[in-house]
Amino acid sequence: MKPVLILLPGASGSFTKSMVDCLIPKLELTFNVRTRPGKWKGWNPNSNENVHSVLKLCPKDGIYYILGNSFGNHVLCSMIVNNSFAKADAFPPSKIILCGYPMYNDKCTNERVDLIKSLPKNTKVLCISGSNDNFLKHNGSKQGKSLYETIISTMLCKDTTELHIVENGGHGVIDVKKSEMNIIVNKVFKWITDFIQ
């Protein structure tokens, strides 16, 4: 039986074309993929509607995993930090994958950074981001991998968190040149499967 992998899209309710065409079909060969459909309800990641829409996809028992993409990461991290799974008498995911976690918006405020830093100790986290992700920049200081590493070093679950960076990838992680797509998709797929095993 394939392990369950729940996919949480960005704010628009969709994934990038490269994710849909290249990575998700590969994931479906290994996992029982369940994708949250449609746009999220507003910008509050912890709203009842958003939380409930994720809980509906979660198995009633057993081990499963959740992969968030962009805003989907905010919802996922909020649910873990706010104990939403336990409050709903649901099993939490065994491990989580954060693809393109948007650290900073244009105003460079800290609420998204504070959220990821609040993930409880021993939460098993795989972070995958593109080296050119515009959301991994902070007032012209550290950016990309060095910014992410600095943030991870302050996380409660730093010892159970790993980071992989896709060179030349943007916020969509695998939004690279067509000539590099196969190599990058295989690399990201391997990071995910190695992490979940």
Side-chain angles (χ1 to χ4, degrees), residues 153-165:
S153 72
T154 64
M155 286 168 62
L156 297 173
C157 59
K158 64 183 176 191
D159 295 334
T160 51
T161 297
E162 61 182 81
L163 171 66
H164 291 284
I165 298 291

Side-chain angles (χ1 to χ4, degrees), residues 14 40 54 63 105-106 126 130 140 180:
S14 59
W40 296 98
V54 175
I63 292 169
N105 59 17
D106 297 344
L126 171 63
E180 297 173 13

